[in-house]
Amino acid sequence: MSTTALTHRVRVLAAPGHRHDEILTPAALDFVGHLAAAFSERRRDLMKERRRQVLRLASGSPLDFPMVTSAVRADPTWQVAPPAPGLTDRRVEITGPPDRRMAVNALNSGAKVWMADFEDATAPLWDNVVGGQLTLLDTIERRIDFTSAEGKEYRLGESDQLATIMVRPRGWHLDEEHLEFEGGPVPAALVDFGLYFFHCAQRQIDAGYGPYFYLPKLENRYEARLWNDIFVLAQELLGIARGTIRATVLIETLTAAFEMEEILYELREHSAGLNAGRWDYLFSLIKTFGHRTDFLLPDRAKVTMTAPFMRAYTELLVRTCHKRGAHAIGSMSAEVPGKDPAANEAALAKVRLDKEREAEDGFDGSWVAHPGLVSVCREVFDGVLAERPHQLDRTRDDVEVTAADLLSVRRISGPPTAEGVRTNIAVALRYFAAWLRGQGAVALYDLMEDAATAEIARVQIWQWLRHRVIDRETVLRLLDDEIVALGAEYPWAPVDEIRALFERTALAGELPLFFTPDAYSRHLVKRAEAGA
């Protein structure tokens, strides 16, 4: 793309930061501006359609596989693009925020893929957003090595031993208010995608790989089509061959589960498969049908991947992917190894069982949140795959999933336990505290929690209150207790702000669809404007 005519200038509203000028170059901002000019209106229209869909489903409209796309599902001839360099074998993938420490640890971990996560694992402080782009640029340029303040050295290993980088931009529901285009904020997804693509796409191609992405929280085929059109234009603007980009879509919303095949079809020349997003899927289910008593979920810990409706979802995902030549990637294991040998042994046994189920079901790989889990995940998939890079040949023609199967929540429906209520409040408050401080991934109660687990925690409280299986007085009493405990545990925490955020997003009559836009606009944007 020419750097001489800056016709789509994006203004930076935040205070300058260390090395920000290396990422926020006039040409890079102009590239993001091109994307915003081409696609912001479509994105706004799709967000309006999301709200209309919520109202339709709440009013009783059935959720089913779309009749209008039955020909796409019935056509046996189409396939997605073949795996791109570095994405043929994906038996273990590790996720985490794009900070320097995580980058080195993840790339050296033995995992096949590192998903650098600007979404659920990153609190979008402006310095985190730009700093994450610097981390990726420095990693690809192999200038990421550093020594921590504690004297620990972080050094990348040999290039052929490093994980392949995939980047998860923020979801369509979020804006980046530190960048302004035509009088309004730039969609955050275009910022994260655009800056990485502009600076790193050709560098990755030159290194023998390519610009690869994970796409979060899509709700339908139209949102996948939007991403495909963005990919086409981005490649055209930078003179990169069409189809070089690859993207895996997280099936983590209930409506997307009914359009898996259509989503693959829309992205087929750029598709790298689908992933089963466990916690966001449950979060989406409550947002979609939380008003109905037959969708009342028990404690989060009791809703395992063996629940009938979750089995239907994951088996349909594997069948759909392998029918179309696409990788099927399993769910996150979020356990964090600690110092207690007995607790570690129990946690690793749980992870092993989870991965064994996925490998036996036909998944081609799975996610972990901590380098200490890479070996157990790899051992399980090695045992099934051996020297094969995947198991796309397992087409799972035995799987037949109906709409009723995907919605059979009532088979495990039930009220929470007192411990479950308290745990959800405790997790949400502690995560909010970390997020407002700028930390998007945080270890809580031996699990690596991110925005998805905070979301399921707070919407479960809302659902239980709505159906009167817990009373408001009990929740407020527990909230008081946990706020006191939070203040003692995290003396730096703004407890009044955290309590107010919980009350607005978990105790309101109408459920806010996400906590992040509220917390972002009220807290993080102000910090950047002040230069904090």
Side-chain angles (χ1 to χ4, degrees):
M1 188 181 73
S2 171
T3 60
T4 57
L6 303 177
T7 56
H8 295 90
R9 178 63 64 85
V10 171
R11 292 181 59 226
V12 181
L13 303 182
H18 178 59
R19 296 182 63 201
H20 283 199
D21 59 327
E22 297 178 37
I23 297 298
L24 304 174
T25 64
L29 293 174
D30 191 50
F31 179 74
V32 172
H34 272 86
L35 299 180
F39 300 110
S40 289
E41 185 174 355
R42 271 178 66 185
R43 177 259 189 171
R44 282 193 296 269
D45 289 343
L46 287 172
M47 294 305 95
K48 292 177 183 176
E49 177 56 29
R50 281 189 181 185
R51 291 189 287 272
R52 286 192 288 267
Q53 176 76 319
V54 168
L55 294 175
R56 283 195 293 267
L57 294 173
S59 66
S61 294
L63 183 57
D64 207 337
F65 300 99
M67 287 293 296
V68 295
T69 55
S70 58
V72 171
R73 298 193 298 276
D75 181 355
T77 62
W78 66 268
Q79 296 274 291
V80 304
L87 294 180
T88 301
D89 187 333
R90 300 173 61 183
R91 66 189 68 198
V92 191
E93 302 192 351
I94 188 168
T95 74
D99 62 56
R100 299 178 77 83
R101 189 187 308 260
M102 182 70 204
V104 175
N105 286 340
L107 291 167
N108 288 339
S109 68
K112 293 292 188 179
V113 169
W114 171 42
M115 188 193 77
D117 187 11
F118 284 90
E119 202 220 13
D120 281 351
T122 296
L125 285 175
W126 181 232
D127 198 51
N128 286 350
V129 171
V130 184
Q133 297 287 345
L134 282 165
T135 293
L136 293 168
L137 180 59
D138 286 349
T139 297
I140 295 165
E141 292 286 309
R142 288 197 67 99
R143 59 189 185 211
I144 194 72
D145 297 354
F146 71 101
T147 302
S148 71
E150 298 78 26
K152 183 175 181 180
E153 292 189 350
Y154 291 82
R155 302 285 184 268
L156 285 182
E158 295 299 320
S159 295
D160 61 351
Q161 299 298 311
L162 301 180
T164 300
I165 296 173
M166 300 184 77
V167 173
R168 176 159 71 166
R170 283 169 284 178
W172 281 129
H173 61 290
L174 294 167
D175 286 319
E176 179 47 74
E177 296 191 28
H178 303 106
L179 294 181
E180 180 187 74
F181 177 73
E182 294 187 345
V186 180
L190 297 183
V191 175
D192 300 338
F193 165 79
L195 292 176
Y196 176 72
F197 189 81
F198 182 85
H199 289 292
C200 297
Q202 190 60 54
R203 286 178 165 92
Q204 287 284 55
I205 294 166
D206 294 343
Y209 299 97
Y212 306 144
F213 299 90
Y214 259 98
L215 305 180
K217 296 180 175 59
L218 300 193
E219 298 206 358
N220 53 56
R221 61 193 181 276
Y222 302 110
E223 295 181 16
R225 184 180 302 168
L226 173 57
W227 269 117
N228 197 73
D229 290 346
I230 290 167
F231 294 161
V232 170
L233 179 60
Q235 290 165 138
E236 179 183 324
L237 288 173
L238 295 192
I240 290 172
R242 180 165 170 159
T244 302
I245 292 173
R246 289 290 194 278
T248 299
V249 173
L250 290 120
I251 301 299
E252 53 188 356
T253 66
L254 190 61
T255 52
F258 286 82
E259 299 191 28
M260 294 187 202
E261 216 154 347
E262 291 86 343
I263 287 169
L264 286 177
Y265 181 81
E266 294 293 345
L267 284 159
R268 59 195 181 279
E269 65 179 332
H270 298 112
S271 179
L274 304 176
N275 172 283
R278 169 187 322 220
W279 298 127
D280 266 310
Y281 191 73
L282 295 176
F283 166 45
S284 171
L285 184 143
I286 295 175
K287 286 194 299 181
T288 306
F289 289 124
H291 59 286
R292 289 173 45 174
T293 56
D294 53 336
F295 283 85
L296 181 66
L297 291 177
D299 294 357
R300 174 166 65 111
K302 295 183 178 180
V303 188
T304 68
M305 298 302 286
T306 61
F309 75 100
M310 296 298 280
R311 289 287 290 158
Y313 148 66
T314 55
E315 292 208 304
L316 178 62
L317 189 148
V318 173
R319 183 184 188 279
T320 300
C321 284
H322 290 186
K323 176 182 178 183
R324 303 303 180 180
H327 281 81
I329 307 300
S331 299
M332 171 74 79
S333 288
E335 285 76 9
V336 176
K339 297 180 180 180
D340 182 342
N344 275 350
E345 186 177 348
L348 290 176
K350 182 178 178 182
V351 172
R352 184 178 294 277
L353 283 173
D354 196 39
K355 301 313 177 189
E356 286 174 348
R357 174 189 50 76
E358 290 180 329
E360 291 164 3
D361 282 350
F363 279 95
D364 303 292
S366 193
W367 272 14
V368 298
H370 192 280
L373 302 181
V374 168
S375 61
V376 66
C377 183
R378 185 161 189 156
E379 285 171 13
V380 169
F381 276 89
D382 284 351
V384 171
L385 296 177
E387 298 302 315
R388 296 179 299 153
H390 48 66
Q391 48 184 337
L392 295 178
D393 56 315
R394 286 196 61 198
T395 54
R396 293 305 309 272
D397 295 332
D398 57 304
V399 171
E400 292 290 339
V401 174
T402 66
D405 294 330
L406 290 172
L407 299 174
S408 61
V409 178
R410 65 184 178 277
R411 294 172 65 180
I412 65 158
S413 182
T417 65
E419 181 184 0
V421 177
R422 182 180 287 277
T423 297
N424 274 5
I425 295 172
V427 166
L429 293 178
R430 282 158 179 76
Y431 186 80
F432 289 168
W435 197 90
L436 292 176
R437 202 185 194 198
Q439 186 178 0
V442 56
L444 295 172
Y445 310 114
D446 301 320
L447 294 174
M448 187 63 72
E449 305 283 22
D450 63 12
T453 45
E455 292 285 27
I456 182 65
R458 61 108 185 166
V459 299
Q460 280 203 295
I461 296 295
W462 178 88
Q463 185 187 39
W464 294 335
L465 283 169
R466 179 183 175 91
H467 294 294
R468 296 183 173 86
V469 294
I470 56 175
D471 60 80
R472 192 176 183 88
E473 291 71 23
T474 297
V475 171
L476 291 174
R477 176 177 52 79
L478 293 173
L479 178 58
D480 289 340
D481 293 346
E482 290 301 324
I483 283 288
V484 171
L486 177 68
E489 188 176 345
Y490 301 160
W492 45 263
V495 292
D496 291 341
E497 292 180 16
I498 293 164
R499 182 187 182 111
L501 176 60
F502 184 86
E503 290 178 345
R504 289 194 305 271
T505 58
L507 306 186
E510 293 297 321
L511 178 66
L513 296 183
F514 297 94
F515 86 83
T516 43
D518 176 289
Y520 176 70
S521 61
R522 288 175 184 262
H523 303 291
L524 300 194
V525 173
K526 293 178 182 177
R527 288 178 59 176
E529 291 171 347

